[in-house]
Amino acid sequence: MRIRRAVTTLALATALTTGAAVSVAAAAPVPGGPPSAAPSTAPTAVPSAGPTVQDILGHLPDGVVAGAVVRQDGVGRTAGPVTTDAYVRIGSVTKVFTNTVVLQLVAEHRIGLDAPARQYVPEVLPEDYGRVTVRQLLDHTSGLPKPARTPGPADGPGWQLASVSPVDLLHESFAAAAGVMPPATPAAQQYNGLNSMVLGLIVEKVTGRPFTAEVERRIIRPLHLRHTSLPAADDPTIPSPHAEVHLDGQDVTEQSPYPWAEGGMISTTADLDRFLTALFRGRLLPPAQQELVFAVPDVSNAADNTNCAGQSACYSVGGLMRYRLPSGEYAWGKTGSRPGWDNGFFATRDLRHRVVYSLNPTGTGDDLPYVRALVDAGLGG
């Protein structure tokens, strides 16, 4: 299930892997939106000849991006009405936390990496998907159906406060795909948030504890991520300080974090930087599972998957995206979006450079060129 909005995680990933142009013209203001969303009197453009992160932020805010916070190699910078310690809804960056918890349980021999996922959650996965393994959920080669519709602006005022449970989300999605047989041996990678929902439920089944409690016990507390949390679906609040975000002229700062193990977490760029660094340094996983953090399956992209450039898969078992910088070097990270926030973190594998960003798109233009430029500039692309 996906929220219908101007910029999605899928589109963000596409921009990162296909190379959007760097120059960006200001868009029209958001009707009824915050004053910060209004464009400048003349079009703005991100310099095309190797801009720095500060060069890019110097052109913001404008009609496309109302605010931004970027942490480059541990140093925070902002643009617009947002502070470096602002809380953000990290969206699908949550998936990396989820995959890490699952790999920890694999290391403890409580989950079998190549075991059928259905043996853990038979009440969720239909028999037709009995061949799907835990590994295939982790690296998006499961062949699960497309997510069913989720609450969106078309539902009217208050849509952002509506939620759907993980189990209902899965049941509705499988019901919508009834009669369509899954591939016998999934051989292509198709990015799909349902994989993360199933993984979260597997964690709960094998531990006997809420998924949130396991994330806190295994990652948040050990790394002292004091500004990171996974709120309950009925808790629409976000701690202060934070940006005030708008979509279609409506304040959607408060919204249900129901995407849960797929995309419901709240954090800060500093906490995400700490998590990314610990993950890359092997502080969260033993060696065998640490290798899987960067292990991309040797399969092609599904026909309608636009997340990865070219014909090859780009997502690893650890949930990271492999992204080729203009220099030819590979970086690793993850994008994530929620209404009003476009976020991500990327780093070179040796952690020579790392960048964490959170933009507040106005919904009236395309912020993907900024994302592409920030990642390339932040990693010395």
Side-chain angles (χ1 to χ4, degrees):
M1 291 186 168
R2 296 280 196 284
I3 290 288
R4 295 173 180 264
R5 63 187 189 281
V7 182
T8 65
T9 302
L10 181 63
L12 254 174
T14 304
L16 283 173
T17 54
T18 58
V22 176
S23 295
V24 180
V30 182
S36 59
S40 57
T41 55
T44 61
V46 178
S48 59
T52 65
V53 168
Q54 192 55 55
D55 288 334
I56 299 164
L57 294 178
H59 288 78
L60 301 176
D62 66 2
V64 177
V65 175
V69 54
V70 178
R71 193 171 186 86
Q72 180 187 16
D73 296 335
V75 178
R77 299 182 176 89
T78 66
V82 60
T83 58
T84 57
D85 58 347
Y87 287 82
V88 302
R89 298 187 187 276
I90 69 174
S92 287
V93 177
T94 302
K95 291 180 174 66
V96 185
F97 287 80
T98 299
N99 283 33
T100 301
V101 169
V102 172
L103 288 176
Q104 288 179 344
L105 289 165
V106 169
E108 296 167 11
H109 305 290
R110 301 173 72 181
I111 293 178
L113 185 63
D114 293 307
R118 192 172 187 272
Q119 77 177 41
Y120 301 104
V121 286
E123 71 282 3
V124 171
L125 287 176
E127 291 184 7
D128 289 345
Y129 292 85
R131 291 191 180 95
V132 172
T133 66
V134 172
R135 183 194 297 267
Q136 291 171 331
L137 295 174
L138 290 165
D139 67 15
H140 297 286
T141 59
S142 65
L144 295 191
K146 293 181 179 180
R149 183 184 178 279
T150 54
D155 296 319
W159 64 267
Q160 73 276 15
L161 303 177
S163 66
V164 59
S165 74
V167 172
D168 286 345
L169 182 156
L170 288 160
H171 285 166
E172 291 173 15
S173 299
F174 286 118
V180 179
M181 291 297 294
T185 314
Q189 187 175 73
Q190 176 63 63
Y191 184 79
N192 190 337
L194 294 185
N195 293 315
S196 300
M197 292 294 188
V198 177
L199 290 169
L201 293 171
I202 290 175
V203 169
E204 293 194 332
K205 182 59 69 73
V206 301
T207 65
R209 290 162 52 87
F211 175 74
T212 300
E214 287 299 302
V215 174
E216 291 174 348
R217 183 171 73 88
R218 295 171 174 273
I219 300 177
I220 292 177
R221 287 201 295 270
L223 296 184
H224 305 290
L225 306 181
R226 297 184 177 88
H227 307 290
T228 300
S229 65
L230 177 53
D234 60 357
D235 180 4
T237 63
I238 181 170
S240 294
H242 58 75
E244 298 291 333
V245 302
H246 293 72
L247 184 67
D248 298 330
Q250 182 179 359
D251 188 333
V252 295
T253 307
E254 291 201 345
Q255 55 186 260
S256 171
Y258 74 85
W260 192 55
E262 176 195 2
M265 293 183 72
I266 291 173
S267 190
T268 63
T269 57
D271 269 14
L272 291 178
D273 189 41
R274 181 186 291 265
F275 169 62
L276 178 68
T277 300
L279 180 64
F280 278 43
R281 287 180 175 166
R283 291 181 54 196
L284 294 169
L285 295 166
Q289 286 68 44
Q290 182 65 20
E291 290 184 8
L292 296 173
V293 171
F294 302 98
V296 176
D298 186 18
V299 299
S300 63
N301 285 326
D304 59 348
N305 183 31
T306 56
N307 289 40
C308 307
Q311 301 299 313
S312 300
C314 71
Y315 282 104
S316 72
V317 178
L320 297 178
M321 176 195 293
R322 181 176 61 191
Y323 166 57
R324 188 169 185 143
L325 294 166
S327 65
E329 181 181 8
Y330 281 112
W332 298 82
K334 185 70 183 74
T335 59
S337 300
R338 291 293 293 145
W341 281 276
D342 280 338
N343 324 280
F345 57 24
F346 284 85
T348 54
R349 184 158 177 178
D350 60 5
L351 290 175
R352 185 177 70 260
H353 294 298
R354 60 193 192 277
V355 62
V356 185
Y357 66 86
S358 180
L359 306 183
N360 302 126
T362 64
T364 62
D366 187 359
D367 69 336
L368 307 187
Y370 295 97
V371 172
R372 173 79 157 75
L374 283 169
V375 172
D376 288 349
L379 300 183

